[in-house]
């Protein structure tokens, strides 16, 4: 005979997350009255309990679906050690959360066979030393699971109503995110598919802590075991374009998942209502627009000095700006169409951020490698900008390149001053130094130009997922060298200072992780393009 205590079935599409762990159940006052003792599997007490199952059947394992805490007196197991051992193994195969054995006539003491079997399986085995009504435990767990479940659903509906009201009132995206962060009690981050931060919300110090080393943290957040990190995909008309992440959510995970889903729904709805256009038109709240808003906030804080430069470094890195061992070139462009310098930056493939500061002044911050000619690249940028239709009189003002991030605010203010000083000039000087040059406009250049396209981002992650999430990060440089040398094994082994057999083992590992045959030209080309796209997205 069996009896069960189970929470209501979830609604279609609604994620279910357990609300109690084995440790929490054992800590309940009613359970402590039975004097519980964990005799095996003590290291697995944080396993989630989905529901409680009272069973005396020896073959109860076939009736389980995972996550159950099984309560039994073991009356049908007494005197048969083989059956006792198989009982534990069957529960482990069924992925039960734990087994609770009430001591009494069947087992006056913890059975050694069951204890050893549970320890080997890693299944928590708990014995109750005092008579205990199992019905009291099922009632207690049921009520707690129901309360937590309905609290999560109530929060979900309240947030949905609140965000819908904000959207109807025409509130900006940042207002929506601020409200989500208030409910979540933790930082909220929106990224594109390449993990570049598009928008943030939450207490400033907490957000800055999250953004430090964002690339590594963002990939950890994708793991199912990430504590308090909850993701929701952003997609429109079947196409994924970003992610929303609750960073360090401390409430019940079920509530966090529902909150993240409601927030994602609101962001997608806001984007659609803002005028997506449906035919490739850019929405006012598209990822590009969010990148511009993030850049405007960062550059404004840099120019005004409202926030110390060192505190802005995590925000710059998370926004996709390379900041380690770089030359920073501050520019201010006086242009009648403020969006034109940003479009030109993307077309030229230069790492940098740009934003409108005031009227027709656009701040541009380039981040160049130390061996690049900053003056020549700046001049090229100016020449290309003035070659644009309607931009013949655009003024590009530049400060000297800074090799220290702390000097960027002063450089931007200097460039702003120069732009204002020459603003009355009829034409900009025609002999300004160049700004940017795509030295290799072949496949690498094409991929770099397309690096912000969601299709390219998704392609790169899909093709390289086996390496990007794997523990052996040294395989990626080997793959990069092997493809760059035209799949020359001898040259690759020489450049990595390894023997040919060692290189063969690494290449086999790469092919196994990616599920490809690098000797096949088409498959190798696909991986090569994905790698170029990944490198371009990382700056």
């Amino acid at each position: 005979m069996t009896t069960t205590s189970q929470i209501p079935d979830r609604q279609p599409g609604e994620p279910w997350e357990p609300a109690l762990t084995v440790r929490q159940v054992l800590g309940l006052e009613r359970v402590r009255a039975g004097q519980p003792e964990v005799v095996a599997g003590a290291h697995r007490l944080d396993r989630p309990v989905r529901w409680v199952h009272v069973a005396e059947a020896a073959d109860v394992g076939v009736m389980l679906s995972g996550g159950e805490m099984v309560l039994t007196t073991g009356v049908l197991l007494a005197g048969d050690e083989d059956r006792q051992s198989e009982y534990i193994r069957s529960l482990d195969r069924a992925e039960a959360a734990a087994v609770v054995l009430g001591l009494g006539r069947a087992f006056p003491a913890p059975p050694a066979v069951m204890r050893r079997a549970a320890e080997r399986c890693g299944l928590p085995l708990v014995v109750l030393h005092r008579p205990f009504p199992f019905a009291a435990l099922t009632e207690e767990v049921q009520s707690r699971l129901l309360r937590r479940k309905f609290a999560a659903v109530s929060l979900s509906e309240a947030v949905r109503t609140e965000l819908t009201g904000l959207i109807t009132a025409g509130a900006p995206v940042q207002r929506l995110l601020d409200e989500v962060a208030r409910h979540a009690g933790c930082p909220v981050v929106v990224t594109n598919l390449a993990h570049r931060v598009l928008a943030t919300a939450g207490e400033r110090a907490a957000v800055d802590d999250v953004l430090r080393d964002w690339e590594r943290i963002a990939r950890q957040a994708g793991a199912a075991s990430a504590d308090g990190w909850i993701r929701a995909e952003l997609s429109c008309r079947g196409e994924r374009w970003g992610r929303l992440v609750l960073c360090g959510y401390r409430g019940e995970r079920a509530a966090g998942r529902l909150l993240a889903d409601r927030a994602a729904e609101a962001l997608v709805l806001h984007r659609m209502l803002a005028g997506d256009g449906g035919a490739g038109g850019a929405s006012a709240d598209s990822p590009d627009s969010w990148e511009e808003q993030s850049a405007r906030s960062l550059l404004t804080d840099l120019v005004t000095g409202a926030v110390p430069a060192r505190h802005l470094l995590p925000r710059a890195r998370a926004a996709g700006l390379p900041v380690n061992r770089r030359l920073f070139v501050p520019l201010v462009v006086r242009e009648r169409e403020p969006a034109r310098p940003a479009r030109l930056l993307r077309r030229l493939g230069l790492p940098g951020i740009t934003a409108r500061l005031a009227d027709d002044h656009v701040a541009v911050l380039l981040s160049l490698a130390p061996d690049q000619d900053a003056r020549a690249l700046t001049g090229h940028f100016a020449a290309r900008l003035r070659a644009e239709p309607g931009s013949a009189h655009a003024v590009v003002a530049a400060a000297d390149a800074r090799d220290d991030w702390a000097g960027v605010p002063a450089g931007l203010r200097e460039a702003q001053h120069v732009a204002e000083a020459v603003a009355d000039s009829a034409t900009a000087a025609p002999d300004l130094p160049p700004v940017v040059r795509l030295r290799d406009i072949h496949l690498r250049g094409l991929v770099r130009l397309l690096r912000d396209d969601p299709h390219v981002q998704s392609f790169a992650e899909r093709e390289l997922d086996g390496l990007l999430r794997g523990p052996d990060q040294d395989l990626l440089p080997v793959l990069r060298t092997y493809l760059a040398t035209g799949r020359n094994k001898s040259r690759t082994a020489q450049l990595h200072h390894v023997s040919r057999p060692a290189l063969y083992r690494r290449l086999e590992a790469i092919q196994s992780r990616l599920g490809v045959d690098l000797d096949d030209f088409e498959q190798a080309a696909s991986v090569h393009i994905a790698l170029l796209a990944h490198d371009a997205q990382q700056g």
Side-chain angles (χ1 to χ4, degrees):
M1 174 181 177
T2 65
T3 62
T4 63
S5 170
Q6 187 174 6
I7 68 166
D9 292 338
R10 63 183 183 272
Q11 296 300 314
E14 180 182 320
W16 163 249
E17 293 290 346
L20 290 174
T21 64
V22 175
R23 190 187 307 277
Q24 289 172 322
V25 172
L26 297 181
L28 297 178
E29 184 176 354
R30 289 188 180 183
V31 180
R32 290 202 303 269
Q35 295 183 358
E37 178 189 359
V38 180
V39 297
H43 62 293
R44 304 293 298 277
L45 295 183
D46 291 319
R47 301 176 83 174
V49 176
R50 187 172 63 86
W51 53 291
V52 176
H53 193 104
V54 181
E56 296 299 346
D59 59 348
V60 66
V62 299
M63 308 175 191
L64 306 181
S65 58
E68 298 87 353
M69 173 178 278
V70 178
L71 312 180
T72 183
T73 63
V75 64
L76 300 181
L77 303 175
D80 191 333
E81 294 187 349
D82 290 340
R83 178 174 289 187
Q84 294 170 23
S85 179
E86 175 57 27
Y87 180 79
I88 293 296
R89 289 195 297 269
S90 69
L91 292 182
D92 178 60
R93 289 194 297 269
E95 298 182 347
V99 58
V100 178
L101 176 65
L103 299 181
R105 287 181 300 174
F107 291 102
V113 172
M114 294 179 68
R115 183 171 52 193
R116 287 195 299 269
E119 196 65 50
R120 285 194 299 269
C121 294
L123 176 68
L125 173 61
V126 183
V127 297
L128 300 176
H129 288 276
R130 296 188 60 182
F132 180 81
F134 286 165
L137 175 57
T138 60
E139 179 184 2
E140 179 79 6
V141 174
Q142 178 188 38
S143 63
R144 287 177 178 268
L145 289 175
L146 285 172
R147 286 198 299 270
R148 296 188 183 199
K149 179 66 174 178
F150 290 141
V153 173
S154 177
L155 171 65
S156 169
E157 292 307 310
V159 170
R160 173 183 279 160
T161 300
E162 195 168 342
L163 295 182
T164 301
L166 289 173
I167 294 173
T168 303
V173 166
Q174 189 60 50
R175 178 72 180 86
L176 270 65
L177 291 176
D178 290 341
E179 197 61 29
V180 173
R182 184 181 69 82
H183 281 287
C186 68
V188 178
V189 176
V190 178
T191 75
N192 64 13
L193 296 180
H195 304 298
R196 291 189 181 183
V197 174
L198 304 179
T200 62
E203 195 269 325
R204 175 56 63 86
V207 170
D208 287 346
D209 285 342
V210 166
L211 295 184
R212 291 186 178 91
D213 198 14
W214 171 252
E215 175 66 19
R216 178 184 61 81
I217 293 175
R219 293 200 178 279
Q220 288 182 346
S225 60
D227 182 26
W229 288 72
I230 301 174
R231 299 195 316 174
E233 300 295 330
L234 300 175
S235 62
C236 185
R237 299 186 179 121
E239 177 181 319
R240 287 194 309 132
W241 54 269
R243 299 183 181 96
L244 178 140
V245 187
L246 303 185
C247 308
Y249 182 76
R250 296 305 175 193
E252 292 294 335
R253 192 166 179 84
R257 287 292 302 274
L258 290 173
L259 177 58
D261 287 345
R262 297 297 86 80
E265 290 172 3
L267 294 184
V268 172
L269 177 61
H270 193 290
R271 180 185 180 189
M272 295 177 66
L273 294 180
D276 190 355
S283 164
D285 287 287
S286 67
D288 285 344
S289 176
W290 290 6
E291 286 179 346
E292 291 167 6
Q293 293 175 25
S294 176
R296 183 182 303 118
S297 173
L298 174 60
L299 289 172
T300 299
D301 285 346
L302 282 169
V303 170
T304 62
V307 181
R310 66 180 182 278
H311 293 165
L312 296 173
L313 195 59
R315 287 168 58 188
R317 182 185 292 111
L321 185 73
V323 296
N324 296 328
R325 298 190 298 276
R326 309 294 288 187
L327 285 178
F328 300 102
V329 183
L331 310 174
V332 170
V333 179
R334 189 173 179 88
E335 164 63 60
R336 284 180 293 182
E337 186 186 338
R340 186 171 285 145
R343 292 200 300 267
L344 180 57
L345 264 187
R346 288 196 293 268
R347 288 205 303 271
L348 295 174
L350 275 175
I353 55 176
T354 177
R356 177 178 177 177
L357 294 182
D359 298 328
D360 56 357
H361 281 81
V362 179
V364 179
L365 180 61
L366 301 180
S367 175
L368 308 177
D371 58 349
Q372 289 180 289
D373 188 337
R375 187 177 298 273
L377 290 173
T378 304
H380 184 52
F381 173 82
R384 289 288 299 271
L385 180 63
R386 290 195 297 271
E388 294 281 316
S391 296
H393 302 300
V395 173
V396 177
D400 290 338
R402 264 64 174 173
D403 59 5
D404 183 2
W405 176 257
V408 169
L412 284 169
R413 287 192 289 270
E414 176 185 336
Q416 189 176 36
H417 174 74
V418 173
E420 292 172 352
V422 300
D424 294 333
S425 175
T427 60
D431 56 350
L432 286 175
V435 167
V436 68
R437 182 173 300 149
L438 292 176
R439 301 187 183 276
D440 183 8
I441 194 64
H442 298 295
L443 178 60
R444 187 178 299 274
L446 175 62
V447 171
R448 187 172 183 81
L449 289 173
L450 298 175
R451 63 181 180 174
D452 289 328
D453 187 293
H455 295 291
V456 176
Q457 295 168 2
S458 179
F459 170 77
E461 286 205 345
R462 183 174 64 252
E463 290 289 297
L464 301 175
D465 183 73
L467 289 183
L468 295 178
R469 297 183 184 276
D472 299 327
Q473 295 300 311
D474 60 335
L475 294 179
L476 203 60
V478 172
L479 175 63
R480 186 179 291 109
T481 303
Y482 179 65
L483 295 174
T485 58
R487 296 183 291 173
N488 187 318
K489 294 183 177 64
S490 298
R491 182 59 176 157
T492 301
Q494 181 183 9
L495 291 174
H496 284 272
H497 307 289
V498 297
S499 65
R500 290 284 291 269
L503 175 65
Y504 292 157
R505 288 193 294 271
R506 296 187 186 184
L507 291 177
E508 288 174 359
I510 291 171
Q511 293 181 111
S512 176
R513 294 274 181 83
L514 298 183
V516 299
D517 178 8
L518 293 178
D519 290 330
D520 181 90
F521 176 81
E522 183 174 346
Q523 294 184 52
S526 180
V527 173
H528 195 185
I529 293 172
L531 186 57
L532 292 177
H534 169 74
D535 291 344
Q537 289 160 12
Q538 307 310 310

